[in-house]
Amino acid sequence: MDFDFQFDWSAAFASIPYLLPGIPWTLLISFGGLAFGFFIGIFFGLLRISPIRWLRWLAICYIEIFRGTPILVQVLFIFYGLPQLLGSPINALVAGIAAIAVNSGAYISEIVRGGVQSIERGQREASLSLGLSRTQAFRYVIWPQAFRRMIPPLGNQGIISIKDTSLFSVIGVGELVRQGQIYIATTFTALEVYFMVALMYLAITWTLSIILRQLESRGIAGQ
Amino acid sequence: MTDTMSPTVPPIVRMQKLNKHFGSLHVLNDIDLEIVPGEVVVVIGASGSGKSTLIRCINGLEEFQSGTLSVDGNTLKPDGKSSKALQTIRTEVGMVFQQFNLFPHLSVIDNITLAPMKVRGWSRSDAVATANRLLDRVGIADQADKYPSQLSGGQQQRVALARALAMEPRLMLFDEPTSALDPEMIGEVLDAMRELAKEGMTMVIVTHEMGFAREVADRIIFIHKGVIAEQGTPEQLFDTPQHERTQSFLARVLKH
């Protein structure tokens, strides 16, 4: 077998200035979406363990719908579908952030539920026996411990959501993959450019992993 | 151990015809119980007899299905969820658990000051002063800034005792406070409880420490299958048990 093709490092490096502008968009969609997703997740995660049955069902419906459908379909629905309903177009950035928010929110709901339910029953009983209200018991005793246990799975979800934003090239938002596609359209250097795109995702997710490891080790020190 | 049996003192705990079911299991069956201020009551019985459930009803950690229960004048209704009376009772009744249940994310001092600050509305400095005094009293004044996981089981249980006392309870409940401890640490916890009894605290204690029970109790209650089968002074119950179930239970726990 004879390969003519060589990996052209100069082409790879040449693409960097064109790819870098995609990074802020990728970060903005990821972390913007995750910030909303976090609050959505807390909201539905707590509804999911509510003593009131119909609230639990509401949360289950939300989680099943947004965890059970592909995020690509969700963003296409929001960007192309919803405007027909609303009668006005939706900004691609807003659509991307919304898709990450509702999608990660469904997963984070389950993370929140698992975290809260993992706290031993005795913690709640001790709090109540001291006269704390149920709200105080949750706020000062249950939640701080649950949140610490939630950090690793939340970090996992963060990394997944960052990578999910690569799908949003289909709605034309100028994130990393989209920038790469535009550049390749004129240079035909797909190998080098997608390699660089992959490296840039790796740089983002790796940084996040390091930050999370720091957070975790600090969390354990306080136990 | 004062003479608390005089009929003029109104009881701090009054249970009448209390019934509790777990599904089809009848855990507590028509329990009548009165405890007067200053009294030390030890509840004994086999595991599954309902003794823990009995004291957990007193501060509403367990609901009951029928009967009445009043604690310091606050009446709990059957299946009552979070009533105002329940909230009042919980601020007046302290509890020490078998598994300590300290808050692992808080330092010893924060474990103790949390409830006085959030429930009683004390200032941080007042709460810390009280906490330090209590830690000194239970013999671990030097551990205030540690976290629960850095302490031995006996130390943790003494912190749990200090935490409950910080709320200045009128009544203390102990649910097998030494059952999760290594043998060499049981003594230090019992010593702290002994001190508390001497100071006149009203205490209801579920324990398997029969020597301790005989020493500190004003009254022993023997529970069998959710019924108070027999009760009396330690001498009556340990030396001349009347009920056949009491005799066989004591024979089993005292022979080793």
Side-chain angles (χ1 to χ4, degrees):
Chain A
M1 286 252 251
D2 182 28
F3 291 103
D4 284 340
F5 201 90
Q6 293 282 308
F7 189 93
D8 182 354
W9 282 103
S10 64
F13 290 127
S15 72
I16 291 175
Y18 295 90
L19 296 179
L20 283 179
I23 289 182
W25 289 95
T26 292
L27 292 177
L28 183 62
I29 300 169
S30 311
F31 288 101
L34 282 166
F36 287 110
F38 184 61
F39 288 105
I40 293 172
I42 291 175
F43 181 73
F44 283 104
L46 296 182
L47 287 195
R48 180 71 182 74
I49 48 180
S50 158
I52 302 158
R53 175 192 271 239
W54 71 267
L55 289 179
R56 280 201 307 274
W57 272 103
L58 190 70
I60 289 169
C61 287
Y62 174 81
I63 293 164
E64 290 301 331
I65 288 168
F66 288 99
R67 203 177 53 174
T69 54
I71 190 166
L72 182 58
V73 175
Q74 289 165 9
V75 77
L76 290 172
F77 182 86
I78 293 168
F79 186 67
Y80 293 111
L82 277 189
Q84 293 189 359
L85 209 63
L86 302 173
S88 64
I90 289 176
N91 177 291
L93 175 67
V94 172
I97 289 175
I100 292 292
V102 295
N103 185 269
S104 70
Y107 287 95
I108 293 171
S109 299
E110 288 293 84
I111 293 171
V112 168
R113 174 176 76 95
V116 170
Q117 287 184 334
S118 76
I119 303 302
E120 300 70 22
R121 201 177 57 155
Q123 292 290 307
R124 186 167 183 273
E125 291 185 346
S127 310
L128 297 180
S129 80
L130 286 164
L132 294 172
S133 67
R134 285 187 298 179
T135 313
Q136 288 174 322
F138 184 79
R139 179 172 164 195
Y140 299 115
V141 178
I142 310 296
W143 179 255
Q145 296 183 64
F147 185 71
R148 250 172 227 186
R149 294 188 190 176
M150 283 159 49
I151 290 173
L154 281 175
N156 214 18
Q157 182 56 44
I159 287 169
I160 290 169
S161 290
I162 288 168
K163 294 184 296 178
D164 280 347
T165 61
S166 64
L167 295 166
F168 300 168
S169 55
V170 297
I171 58 169
V173 58
E175 45 69 65
L176 264 174
V177 171
R178 177 73 179 164
Q179 292 298 108
Q181 287 173 333
I182 293 168
Y183 184 71
I184 292 164
T186 56
T187 62
F188 305 105
T189 50
L191 175 70
E192 289 81 1
V193 174
Y194 282 131
F195 179 77
M196 292 312 289
V197 167
L199 270 188
M200 287 183 189
Y201 277 107
L202 201 55
I204 297 170
T205 54
W206 207 333
T207 309
L208 184 61
S209 294
I210 290 167
I211 294 169
L212 285 163
R213 262 199 297 276
Q214 296 281 330
L215 277 177
E216 268 180 66
S217 57
R218 244 191 293 169
I220 289 159
Q223 293 282 325
Chain B
M1 278 177 275
T2 48
D3 176 23
T4 51
M5 305 305 280
S6 74
T8 53
V9 187
I12 186 167
V13 176
R14 175 177 276 154
M15 277 184 188
Q16 284 166 325
K17 297 254 171 282
L18 193 99
N19 282 279
K20 159 105 191 147
H21 303 264
F22 280 129
S24 62
L25 189 67
H26 201 166
V27 192
L28 296 175
N29 190 345
D30 274 348
I31 299 278
D32 288 309
L33 176 65
E34 289 193 350
I35 296 166
V36 293
E39 195 178 9
V40 176
V41 176
V42 169
V43 184
I44 61 172
S47 64
S49 59
K51 55 193 192 306
S52 282
T53 309
L54 175 72
I55 70 163
R56 287 163 57 86
C57 280
I58 296 176
N59 67 348
L61 288 183
E62 300 285 354
E63 293 169 4
F64 52 95
Q65 278 74 48
S66 70
T68 62
L69 167 62
S70 77
V71 180
D72 207 13
N74 304 285
T75 302
L76 279 185
K77 295 188 184 70
D79 293 322
K81 294 277 182 201
S82 55
S83 64
K84 200 150 183 237
L86 177 58
Q87 194 63 29
T88 311
I89 288 171
R90 283 174 173 165
T91 60
E92 305 299 328
V93 177
M95 188 165 198
V96 171
F97 298 85
Q98 180 176 353
Q99 300 295 339
F100 327 138
N101 294 347
L102 292 180
F103 307 137
H105 62 302
L106 298 179
S107 66
V108 164
I109 199 86
D110 289 342
N111 262 275
I112 301 174
T113 56
L114 179 68
M117 287 167 64
K118 301 301 176 193
V119 180
R120 293 252 193 251
W122 293 4
S123 70
R124 180 159 181 88
S125 59
D126 284 353
V128 168
T130 302
N132 281 322
R133 185 169 50 73
L134 288 165
L135 282 174
D136 190 43
R137 189 163 129 192
V138 296
I140 39 175
D142 50 340
Q143 311 287 344
D145 296 322
K146 294 214 172 134
Y147 281 86
S149 61
Q150 298 169 294
L151 304 180
S152 72
Q155 289 172 326
Q156 288 190 50
Q157 193 60 303
R158 284 183 284 158
V159 172
L161 177 59
R163 180 177 69 175
L165 293 176
M167 284 295 286
E168 301 182 335
R170 307 245 295 117
L171 167 69
M172 280 293 299
L173 308 174
F174 294 85
D175 190 2
E176 302 200 26
T178 58
S179 297
L181 293 174
D182 292 335
E184 74 269 22
M185 291 170 185
I186 292 175
E188 63 196 54
V189 171
L190 294 182
D191 283 343
M193 291 170 63
R194 212 173 266 128
E195 283 299 310
L196 196 61
K198 264 186 213 149
E199 289 163 23
M201 175 64 78
T202 314
M203 297 161 75
V204 186
I205 305 165
V206 172
T207 186
H208 296 290
E209 296 293 329
M210 295 301 160
F212 173 77
R214 178 189 282 268
E215 181 193 342
V216 303
D218 296 309
R219 176 161 47 133
I220 308 275
I221 291 176
F222 173 68
I223 295 208
H224 179 71
K225 290 190 174 165
V227 176
I228 296 181
E230 185 168 356
Q231 57 179 316
T233 65
E235 292 73 27
Q236 288 168 341
L237 209 103
F238 286 126
D239 300 336
T240 54
Q242 302 300 308
H243 197 290
E244 178 207 341
R245 293 292 181 184
T246 319
Q247 292 162 0
S248 65
F249 173 75
L250 289 173
R252 265 178 289 134
V253 297
L254 293 177
K255 76 179 172 199
H256 51 259

